Amino acid sequence: KEIDTRGLNCPLPILKAKKALSEMASGQLLKVVATDGGSVRDFKAFAQQTGNELVDQSTEGSDFIHVLRRR
């Protein structure tokens, strides 16, 4: 599953990711595309707090890509 949170600032990308993860089965991957530079730090903290695995983080142009695995 993929969600586009471009143009949204903290905490909206996290909230949208949380909602999407709640609708997914364990082990499924969620790709979040964000433009908020703070989202890199935010998703690391979010993964630690929720027990979901942060599989990958990368930057493509002005986009920050976060991939989470549902716990």
Side-chain angles (χ1 to χ4, degrees):
K1 187 168 179 172
E2 180 173 338
I3 57 173
D4 182 352
T5 65
R6 281 177 264 204
L8 299 177
N9 292 322
C10 180
L12 289 172
I14 292 288
L15 294 174
K16 289 192 174 282
K18 189 174 184 177
K19 182 179 186 304
L21 285 166
S22 73
E23 299 165 356
M24 295 166 61
S26 182
Q28 286 187 303
L29 293 177
L30 174 66
K31 179 179 178 182
V32 183
V33 183
T35 49
D36 180 6
S39 67
V40 173
R41 176 190 66 241
D42 294 343
F43 274 96
K44 284 180 184 165
F46 174 74
Q48 287 176 340
Q49 288 169 3
T50 60
N52 294 297
E53 179 188 356
L54 186 59
V55 179
D56 187 47
Q57 285 187 310
S58 59
T59 307
E60 294 176 14
S62 62
D63 293 343
F64 299 94
I65 313 296
H66 313 281
V67 180
L68 294 153
R69 184 184 314 276
R70 172 87 162 92
R71 63 174 160 82

